Each structure stands twice: as structure tokens, then as C-alpha cells.
């Protein structure tokens, strides 16, 4: 496990395959909101992705693109987008490189069973690649609005 990134740190330089047949570069030279989520088509992840999609134009007006990242495949992401009518871009981190680099691949505990998984987290990255804000152990309700308000 990699140490968690904090405000003021430089974002790791990564390039991930993304929906729409493109790649996402982090940092991108523009403002970015990068949110890590555990699994496509699960209730919390669906609500979070829908909330960010609903506010996409508001984030764009402030100069920020949004990308969601999980370890699901691009095929899974494409189905998720189609099923939920999402407007945000999703990137695939099947090998876990981005999760490790951002420090969100953590040990979790559910019903006494320990396992490794993605800690729901959001990072705001400035155009110069500096991390401006971090939310860890995100609770989905109102989170997208909280991030927008913080910008």
C-alpha cells in the first residue's frame, strides 16, 4: 500500500484507458475532480456517479473535468454508463496502478472479514497537478455538491 496523498502534494502522473475510446491523463493540464469508487452498478457507486453527472456542467463552468475510477473493465464501465445514463467519463484501473498511486487501495473489514478494496475517495487536482482538496471514506449523500461548493 502506498501512503495516502494530501493537499499540496503533486498528483501522480498516470494515463488510464477510459470510456469513449480515449485515455485520461492525470494531471491533465486542466482542473480535475477524480473520484475513486469500489464497483460499477452498486447502489452507492451508482448514486455517486449520477450525482457527479448531474453537476457536470457546473463543474465545467468552474474549469474542472470529472473522472470516476474503479478497477472494473471498460466493458463494465460502458454498460454502467448506458444503464444509468451517466455523462461523466469513467477510467479503468484493472491493474490497480492508479489506486496504489493515490493510496486508495486499502484493507477493509466487513462482518469480520478482512480484504483489500478501494476506499471511496475524491481528489481535486489543479491545472498544475497539485492536489487542492481530498475527501476520504466518502459518504455518497450530497458529496458531489460538497465538492462543487469547495471549488
Amino acid at each position: 500500500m502506498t501512503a495516502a496523498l494530501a493537499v499540496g502534494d503533486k498528483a501522480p502522473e498516470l494515463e488510464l484507458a477510459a470510456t469513449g475510446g480515449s485515455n485520461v491523463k492525470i494531471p491533465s493540464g486542466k482542473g480535475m475532480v477524480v473520484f475513486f469508487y469500489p464497483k460499477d452498478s452498486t447502489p452507492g457507486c451508482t448514486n455517486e456517479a449520477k450525482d457527479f453527472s448531474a453537476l457536470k456542467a457546473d463543474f465545467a463552468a468552474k474549469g474542472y473535468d470529472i473522472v470516476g475510477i474503479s478497477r472494473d473493465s471498460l466493458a463494465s464501465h460502458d454498460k454502467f454508463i448506458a444503464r444509468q445514463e451517466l455523462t461523466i467519463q469513467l477510467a479503468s484501473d484493472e491493474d490497480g496502478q492508479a489506486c496504489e498511486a493515490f493510496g486508495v487501495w486499502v484493507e477493509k473489514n466487513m462482518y469480520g472479514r478482512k480484504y483489500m478494496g478501494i476506499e471511496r475517495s475524491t481528489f481535486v487536482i489543479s491545472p498544475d497537478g497539485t492536489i487542492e482538496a481530498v475527501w476520504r471514506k466518502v459518504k455518497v449523500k450530497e458529496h458531489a455538491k460538497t465538492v462543487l461548493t469547495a471549488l
Side-chain angles (χ1 to χ4, degrees), residues 14 24 30 42-44 51 79-80 88 92 94 108 117 121 151:
L14 300 165
V24 168
K30 288 181 65 180
T42 57
D51 290 348
K79 288 177 191 170
F80 186 35
I88 57 171
S92 179
E94 287 187 87
K108 296 174 130 186
S121 303
L151 296 181

Side-chain angles (χ1 to χ4, degrees), residues 20-95:
S22 64
N23 287 343
V24 168
K25 282 189 175 188
I26 301 171
S28 68
K30 288 181 65 180
M32 294 183 84
V33 174
V34 178
F35 71 97
F36 287 86
Y37 66 98
K39 187 105 178 104
D40 289 344
S41 300
T42 57
C45 298
T46 297
N47 289 335
E48 184 176 28
K50 286 175 130 181
D51 290 348
F52 275 114
S53 287
L55 296 172
K56 181 180 177 182
D58 296 316
F59 279 99
K62 292 188 178 215
Y64 289 82
D65 291 333
I66 303 167
V67 62
I69 301 174
S70 78
R71 293 193 62 174
D72 293 305
S73 67
L74 284 177
S76 176
H77 284 343
D78 286 336
K79 288 177 191 170
F80 186 35
I81 286 172
R83 193 176 309 120
Q84 300 300 331
E85 299 177 356
L86 302 176
T87 59
I88 57 171
Q89 192 169 40
L90 300 178
S92 179
D93 184 32
E94 287 187 87
D95 65 2

